[in-house]
């Protein structure tokens, strides 16, 4: 597999098959690690970076990763390819926009992404559809062990894993769950959820991580604390308390809408379908919003003209870099909107 | 025929058959007349009003009007029926909301509406699809002559016909043409047209006459001056200068849009179709706006899934009183929006 294959399908995390996948789009765990004998990246010179990259890439390529893993030289990749990886949630924006030798190893139908020379020497991400934190923890633990037997991680017996940014020191773990919460937004209760999450020292962000707005009713919930609590405790909190609670709120809000605002709800859902199957120009933001309503409609059984996997796939495929990759040309914003609308109509089998 | 038959079809003026009917929805001429021997209506008592109404109704019923004419006792009619007549452009809002004995005789597939005891004792309206001012002038002249041979009109040899409001004194004529100008609105040139029309002492109003906003890109252009110019001059101006000029502006604006903004134009047209065939709730204003875009799309051949007559008919049938008549029940705003959306989907043959 290679980066060009990414536009042919949507990766496991968007398959809409995991537990609670009507509301939990995906879950993700990433570990931050640094290698003994090298300074943090902000202090390295070009030679050290290149050495680090070559060494870590070699170790990663020796690992037994599932499903045709491949390595992308992010420094040598084109701008479009880098943005494609960001839209795909396989690398962070920082990694795409960074400088110097760096890369990412992708495997297991995009469930695994190992970033080399991002903020830390190594960021190991595992990502799956629905709520699958235990499975992810097993998987990332296995990878962490395999690499840890080949390189020596910077580790302090009191503080734990040492990381470039103090917020990651300790376990170096970040657990994130991407949620689709359209009903909470419609009923105006999302604010309350955001406040409650902040009280629990959780971060709530938009679709593309730090500094992004919640578009199309998608929210990423992640832990802020990495020090003083074990990985298992953090994961347990997510699995047994945080996520079930938010999912339950969303379900209740959906039931309230169905009971008290069925016409308004169906109106939103069907209008979304109407616009997606007829528009000749669709911005990225509008598309996300419409797909969000459509997704809720499919999950609530209010519209049966398509399945959830197609809706999920459209979320990713209609992003700017994906669209340009698919159409095979660099497009300005206006052109993208037209190509996006054509693409969506075609994928939805619209005659209009 | 009776008032209940009105919801079965849309009347001649919406048939979309007259000259220039892609842009000129309809043309209308009305004459204001008062009867000698009675004061203006604001000065009459109930007895005089009743006498006037009975007398004029009798004379009108003796006329040879085409196509199953019928008379509606507006004072005795229900609120819904009165509003139905306003939506149908068969009586004015003032006439609907007025007091005391009053009525309207309707004939010729709604091309003729003779209002008794509106602002003047008699208001004779003729209304047809497209630009048909000569035909209308012949028709209203014939009716005017027939009635004038039965009752004596208040007439001053210097000022002409005397009317309740000085703005109608003289000829008592008002010529109005209803135009559909979506492209001028989209290109932002409508302001210029409105200014030019005002310079020519023409009034530009919304869909339902005085005091209404232009909704859905529909504008009524009418003369302001009734004194010092002959009826023929006023009509000639409309026929040879005013209307052809505005129609030409609109056509040019459409060509500009087609040449320079084809995607944006098609986007508006197809989105309108998408929303009308899927929405579960449609307000009256939104519906007018969407039908306006759809109408332009049909006229420009950008969408061929329906004909102009159906679009025209939907303009009238989706008005509040029409909808309630069709559904056979009094509905609040929210209910109307839901019934309207269902009705539109059904008429457009939507499976969604």
């Amino acid at each position: 597999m290679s980066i060009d294959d990414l536009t042919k399908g949507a990766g496991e995390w968007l398959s809409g098959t995991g537990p609670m996948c009507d509301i939990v789009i995906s879950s993700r765990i990433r570990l931050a690690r640094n290698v003994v004998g090298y300074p943090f990246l902000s202090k390295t010179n070009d030679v050290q970076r290149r050495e680090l990259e070559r060494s870590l890439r070699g170790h990663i390529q020796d690992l037994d990763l599932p499903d045709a893993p491949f390595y992308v030289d992010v420094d040598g990749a084109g701008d479009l390819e880098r943005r494609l990886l960001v839209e795909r949630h396989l690398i962070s924006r920082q990694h795409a926009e960074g400088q110097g030798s760096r890369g990412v190893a992708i495997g297991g139908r995009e469930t695994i992404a190992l970033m080399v020379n991002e903020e830390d020497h190594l960021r190991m991400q595992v990502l799956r559809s629905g709520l699958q934190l235990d499975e992810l923890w097993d998987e990332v633990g296995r990878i962490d062990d395999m690499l840890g037997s080949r390189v020596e991680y910077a580790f302090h017996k009191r503080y734990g894993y040492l990381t470039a940014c103090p917020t990651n020191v300790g376990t170096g773990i970040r657990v994130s769950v991407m949620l689709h919460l359209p009903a909470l937004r419609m009923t105006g209760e999302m604010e309350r959820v955001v406040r409650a999450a902040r009280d629990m020292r959780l971060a709530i962000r938009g679709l593309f991580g730090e500094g992004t707005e919640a578009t199309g009713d998608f929210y990423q919930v992640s832990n802020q604390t990495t020090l003083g609590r074990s990985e298992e405790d953090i994961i347990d909190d997510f699995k047994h308390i945080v996520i079930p609670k938010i999912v339950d709120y969303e379900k209740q809000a959906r039931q309230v809408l169905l009971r008290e605002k069925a016409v308004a709800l169906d109106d939103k859902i069907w209008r979304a379908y109407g616009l997606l199957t007829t528009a000749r120009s669709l911005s990225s933001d509008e598309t996300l919003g419409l797909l969000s309503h459509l997704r809720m409609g499919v999950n609530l059984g209010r519209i049966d003209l398509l399945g959830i996997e197609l809706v999920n796939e459209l979320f990713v495929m209609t992003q700017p870099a994906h669209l340009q990759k698919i159409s095979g040309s660099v497009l300005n914003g206006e052109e993208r909107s037209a190509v996006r609308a054509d693409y969506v109509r075609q994928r939805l089998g619209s005659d209009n």
Side-chain angles (χ1 to χ4, degrees), chain A residues 156-177:
Chain A
H156 183 282
K157 60 186 171 188
R158 175 143 179 221
Y159 298 124
Y161 293 103
L162 300 177
T163 54
C165 178
T167 58
N168 291 312
V169 166
T171 54
I173 197 172
R174 174 150 298 161
V175 177
S176 318
V177 175

Side-chain angles (χ1 to χ4, degrees), chain A residues 213-227:
Chain A
E213 286 270 319
T215 339
D217 314 314
F218 295 95
Y219 299 85
Q220 276 192 49
V221 182
S222 56
N223 65 303
Q224 305 254 51
T225 313
T226 53
L227 189 64

Side-chain angles (χ1 to χ4, degrees), chain A residues 43 59 61 71 76 78-80 94 100 124 139 182 230 236 255 276 278 308 312 352:
Chain A
K43 302 287 182 191
H59 290 305
Q61 286 177 333
Y71 188 89
D79 189 44
L80 201 58
Q94 294 86 316
M124 296 174 272
E139 183 158 44
S230 76
D236 263 16
Q255 290 311 314
L276 290 167
T278 55
I308 207 65
N312 282 357
N352 294 323

Side-chain angles (χ1 to χ4, degrees), chain A residues 9-51:
Chain A
E12 193 280 338
W13 68 280
L14 280 168
S15 61
T17 50
M20 301 192 192
C21 71
D22 54 338
I23 292 171
V24 181
I25 305 274
S26 60
S27 13
R28 189 172 74 99
I29 295 180
R30 74 112 175 91
L31 299 178
R33 298 287 183 260
N34 289 275
V35 179
V36 161
Y38 289 91
F40 289 137
L41 284 165
S42 57
K43 302 287 182 191
T44 53
N45 58 34
D46 282 358
V47 177
Q48 289 171 311
R49 279 186 176 242
R50 257 201 306 277
E51 258 182 46

Side-chain angles (χ1 to χ4, degrees), chain A residues 110-247:
Chain A
E110 302 172 46
T111 55
I112 300 167
L114 310 178
M115 279 181 275
V116 175
N117 288 356
E118 199 243 26
E119 188 180 277
D120 295 295
H121 298 163
L122 193 59
R123 291 253 172 133
M124 296 174 272
Q125 167 184 289
V126 287
L127 176 67
R128 286 196 190 185
S129 155
L131 192 65
Q132 302 198 50
L133 292 172
D134 290 336
E135 294 80 352
L136 289 175
W137 178 234
D138 285 348
E139 183 158 44
V140 80
R142 194 174 61 86
I143 296 167
D144 188 34
D145 290 345
M146 287 195 294
L147 273 172
S149 71
R150 286 157 204 259
V151 299
E152 191 185 345
Y153 294 142
F155 186 85
H156 183 282
K157 60 186 171 188
R158 175 143 179 221
Y159 298 124
Y161 293 103
L162 300 177
T163 54
C165 178
T167 58
N168 291 312
V169 166
T171 54
I173 197 172
R174 174 150 298 161
V175 177
S176 318
V177 175
M178 200 195 300
L179 299 166
H180 181 220
L181 307 175
L184 285 171
R185 179 119 119 190
M186 275 185 217
T187 57
E189 290 168 280
M190 198 54 219
E191 273 307 301
R192 203 159 55 88
V193 173
V194 170
R195 273 200 307 276
R198 294 210 169 124
D199 289 346
M200 295 174 71
R201 299 186 52 82
L202 299 169
I204 297 211
R205 302 194 174 92
L207 196 50
F208 293 102
E210 278 182 57
T212 63
E213 286 270 319
T215 339
D217 314 314
F218 295 95
Y219 299 85
Q220 276 192 49
V221 182
S222 56
N223 65 303
Q224 305 254 51
T225 313
T226 53
L227 189 64
R229 298 191 69 203
S230 76
E231 293 91 336
E232 286 80 2
D233 277 358
I234 293 171
I235 290 170
D236 263 16
D237 258 16
F238 266 78
K239 189 180 159 192
H240 295 296
I241 302 174
V242 177
I243 302 305
K245 203 157 207 165
I246 301 181
V247 166

